[in-house]
Amino acid sequence: MKQLNAIFEGLGSAILLTTRAFATLPSAPRIIKRVVEQVFYGGYGSLPIISILSFFIGAVLALQSGISLQNFGAKQLIGTLVGESLVRELGPVMVAILLAGRVGSATTAELASMKVYQEVDALVTMNIPPERFLVLPRLLAVLLYMPVLTIIAIVIGWLGGAVICNYVTFIGVEPAQYFQSMKQFLTTHKMVDGLVKSEIFGFCVILIACNTGLRTRGGPREIGHAVTRAVVFALITILVLDYFITKAQA
Amino acid sequence: MKKTIIQERSGGDRKPVGVEVIGLSKSFGSQSVLREINLSIHPGEIFVIMGPSGSGKSVLLRQMAGLDLPSAGSIQIDGHDPANPDTRDRFALALVFQAGALFNSLSVYDNLALYPLEHRLCPKNEIRERVLRALKILSLENAAKKFPSELSGGMKKRVAIARALVMEPQLLLYDEPTSELDPVMSATITEIIATLKNEFKVTSVVVSHDRDLALTIADRVAILMRGKLLFVGTPAELRKATDPAITDFLNPQIDLKKPRYLQLEAS
Ligand SMILES: Nc1ncnc2c1ncn2[C@@H]1O[C@H](COP(=O)(O)OP(=O)(O)O)[C@@H](O)[C@H]1O
Ligand SMILES: [Mg+2]
């Protein structure tokens, strides 16, 4: 019961935070610099790890489907399978999970520490709304870099699959054939679905991170608790939302 | 008299603001921290609040800054609720936090420049001038590029005061501005508080244990004990006070034959 209460409280405050943050949108020109900073940190900074991760996810995906499809003599479908899984599921979900771990946790830690050490109070007395100064730049930034990260992750995942198909002898599907079968079934529509999904995930992850951080009360120990709570809640949200979005997009 | 940014913004007419505290009570859970405080702080005066630690001074100051809502009663700044963002649009209000509350991710210079930059108060070179002047007043010229984590406690406090100066507020709330400072710096801060009153017509509320500060620059002094106001009056009246709780607080006698802690244990 208490947990249910906490969930609804979190949801309510998150909605409130969003409306407050976007209410300050008219003063957006003065936060451009902070948006760019966040894009650099969250987007550009996540590139190396996203590249490595998505390469291997694509590789494993190709390997596993190669093993399974071999029995049906349907190896030529590996490209289709890897291509679509990455675009519609694994790309957006993996990037979002990474975002929660890398950017979400850091965001919560930073905002929670600002709250605990009264920096947020100082902003309020200076009549600089924390929603505008701290939250809006992060939300705008994630909307900008999330689709880009996802596209990069998907493409690198495809390449990972191609490498496996070409060099693992028992699969032995040529890149040309692999990409041909991928192209056959992949439509712009599916691409857009995947990107919409990743936008929603990214927005939710950063919103949860900011909200949890700003709602932190008490001493330094609470900063650690807040980070844990934010990451766990973000991961659950990603997976639950994934089900419903997939269903809606089907 | 030099024109302040606020004067320029409001067309040159800058009036000091008064603070009314009406039947204010604040409790945290079952602990009642402030009880039925009634106070009237006049526009342009220096009002010093003294009291033992834990008596609720910081809580009272946060209420005046509109950071927390009262459990009962209200606070009004020239008739407006400080917790309402519109009030902060109307009056510039600064709070010097007890621990500084500097922005740890910004350099000292950026900490000071944030307010005028965010509010687009004046062109960049003017902001720079303003910031450098505030740094100079508090002998912080060499700290401009440093980050808060590289400063000592006393320096942080001075940066916090400098940050408030740059804001050129109409209501300036200080939470123990001279604790952690050496005697010279304490005297400097005391002088700054007094100068600001004359130069910028700011209303100052100063929470402090510093008896010199209270008796030299205060227009009026209040003594807060266990969440209640024990005394409100001028420094001259305070010197004449006979209430043992007040005299013992202002002039504690060190008596090694009868140490206080033993008396406390006995009672
Ligand atoms: N956020 C809070 N939650 C619970 N208790 C608090 C809070 N802030 C202050 N208090 C309590 O209020 C009392 C007064 O605190 P404070 O105003 O900081 O004292 P001081 O007069 O030394 O500044 C203390 O007993 C403190 O424990
Ligand atoms: Mg205090």
Side-chain angles (χ1 to χ4, degrees):
Chain A
M1 198 58 220
K2 221 172 134 190
Q3 262 152 355
L4 207 65
N5 240 352
I7 288 176
F8 280 116
E9 243 177 63
L11 203 65
S13 60
I15 293 170
L16 206 65
L17 187 64
T18 316
T19 46
R20 283 199 188 140
F22 280 93
T24 63
L25 206 54
S27 51
R30 72 182 79 174
I31 61 165
I32 288 177
K33 200 174 142 224
R34 299 181 64 79
V35 175
V36 173
E37 263 170 33
Q38 289 299 326
V39 168
F40 202 79
Y41 170 75
Y44 185 74
S46 302
L47 272 181
I49 181 148
I50 283 200
S51 309
I52 296 172
L53 224 77
S54 47
F55 182 87
F56 281 99
I57 293 226
V60 168
L61 207 56
L63 192 61
Q64 188 57 52
S65 38
I67 295 169
S68 304
L69 292 176
Q70 198 180 24
N71 303 329
F72 304 103
K75 279 193 304 195
Q76 69 278 11
L77 287 180
I78 294 180
T80 316
L81 214 144
V82 173
E84 254 195 74
S85 323
L86 277 170
V87 167
R88 301 193 62 155
E89 285 300 330
L90 287 170
V93 170
M94 185 196 63
V95 173
I97 288 177
L98 223 101
L99 185 79
R102 207 188 92 87
V103 185
S105 58
T107 302
T108 307
E110 185 176 347
L111 298 203
S113 119
M114 291 188 75
K115 183 76 199 290
V116 166
Y117 294 109
Q118 296 184 311
E119 291 179 41
V120 173
D121 288 338
L123 281 178
V124 172
T125 58
M126 293 168 108
N127 202 15
I128 301 170
E131 294 86 5
R132 180 183 85 206
F133 191 70
L134 299 173
V135 181
L136 190 62
R138 291 179 160 86
L139 288 178
L140 292 180
V142 77
L143 290 179
L144 290 177
Y145 65 68
M146 199 60 187
V148 180
L149 282 185
T150 309
I151 290 174
I152 292 173
I154 289 170
V155 172
I156 294 181
W158 287 346
L159 293 178
V163 169
I164 290 296
C165 288
N166 196 29
Y167 290 106
V168 173
T169 39
F170 78 85
I171 299 179
V173 174
E174 299 228 324
Q177 195 191 352
Y178 169 88
F179 284 114
Q180 178 60 37
S181 79
M182 188 183 288
K183 229 165 68 186
Q184 214 170 4
F185 292 96
L186 209 56
T187 56
T188 333
H189 183 75
K190 287 174 187 166
M191 276 306 268
V192 171
D193 274 359
L195 292 185
V196 167
K197 209 183 231 184
S198 83
E199 285 282 50
I200 297 175
F201 288 166
F203 189 82
C204 288
V205 167
I206 298 300
L207 181 64
I208 290 169
C210 290
N211 192 39
T212 313
L214 287 180
R215 273 157 51 89
T216 309
R217 266 162 224 281
R221 175 186 282 192
E222 295 305 319
I223 299 172
H225 289 323
V227 173
T228 311
R229 226 174 322 127
V231 172
V232 170
F233 194 53
L235 292 181
I236 295 174
T237 306
I238 292 168
L239 295 177
V240 172
L241 268 183
D242 188 30
Y243 173 82
F244 288 105
I245 300 174
T246 307
K247 205 151 172 258
Q249 288 177 343
Chain B
M1 189 168 114
K2 197 172 180 319
K3 252 192 172 183
T4 68
I5 18 182
I6 292 127
Q7 280 173 321
E8 279 153 22
R9 193 172 43 170
S10 61
D13 181 30
R14 184 175 126 108
K15 284 193 298 235
V17 295
V19 182
E20 290 292 329
V21 181
I22 307 151
L24 182 82
S25 298
K26 176 74 184 174
S27 23
F28 294 101
S30 60
Q31 185 198 5
S32 134
V33 176
L34 296 176
R35 295 173 225 184
E36 297 254 348
I37 307 264
N38 286 294
L39 251 187
S40 173
I41 296 169
H42 309 318
E45 79 174 336
I46 296 178
F47 192 90
V48 176
I49 301 172
M50 301 179 83
S53 66
S55 57
K57 305 180 299 294
S58 296
V59 172
L60 179 58
L61 225 48
R62 284 177 63 86
Q63 299 272 335
M64 288 184 189
L67 289 172
D68 293 319
L69 294 177
S71 307
S74 68
I75 290 192
Q76 298 195 328
I77 298 180
D78 262 11
H80 300 280
D81 174 12
N84 185 340
D86 294 339
T87 311
R88 287 191 212 101
D89 263 341
R90 200 181 302 252
F91 312 113
L93 178 158
L95 170 57
V96 178
F97 288 81
Q98 195 165 358
L102 303 178
F103 304 116
N104 280 306
S105 58
L106 300 180
S107 70
V108 167
Y109 182 92
D110 291 336
N111 261 280
L112 268 62
L114 184 66
Y115 180 84
L117 267 182
E118 278 289 312
H119 291 281
R120 300 265 160 97
L121 289 180
C122 47
K124 279 224 166 101
N125 55 345
E126 222 171 289
I127 292 178
R128 195 182 155 71
E129 228 173 78
R130 215 173 271 283
V131 169
L132 293 181
R133 180 163 168 260
L135 286 175
K136 189 152 178 239
I137 292 177
L138 287 138
S139 337
L140 285 165
E141 296 100 322
N142 297 326
K145 290 208 182 86
K146 290 204 164 125
F147 280 83
S149 59
E150 300 166 320
L151 305 177
S152 73
M155 281 167 94
K156 279 185 195 163
K157 190 144 261 173
R158 273 145 64 198
V159 175
I161 294 170
R163 187 172 69 180
L165 292 190
V166 172
M167 289 172 68
E168 297 188 348
Q170 283 150 288
L171 176 61
L172 193 35
L173 310 168
Y174 303 87
D175 201 345
E176 307 202 6
T178 58
S179 62
E180 290 186 77
L181 297 182
D182 60 84
V184 175
M185 200 32 84
S186 293
T188 312
I189 301 292
T190 309
E191 287 162 11
I192 289 173
I193 297 173
T195 316
L196 283 177
K197 168 191 159 177
N198 302 328
E199 196 179 340
F200 294 129
K201 293 217 170 65
V202 60
T203 308
S204 312
V205 181
V206 189
V207 162
S208 179
H209 297 294
D210 192 333
R211 219 166 19 140
D212 291 341
L213 182 147
L215 294 177
T216 46
I217 64 165
D219 292 303
R220 287 189 306 147
V221 183
I223 295 192
L224 189 68
M225 274 190 199
R226 294 205 197 87
K228 286 199 162 176
L229 279 181
L230 217 59
F231 171 91
V232 181
T234 61
E237 286 166 353
L238 182 62
R239 281 201 193 96
K240 285 188 223 134
T242 50
D243 184 341
I246 296 173
T247 50
D248 196 44
F249 177 71
L250 289 179
N251 298 304
Q253 302 298 322
I254 291 173
D255 185 351
L256 293 179
K257 295 212 179 75
K258 263 200 300 175
R260 250 160 253 261
Y261 73 96
L262 286 183
Q263 294 176 26
L264 281 177
E265 275 177 358
S267 66

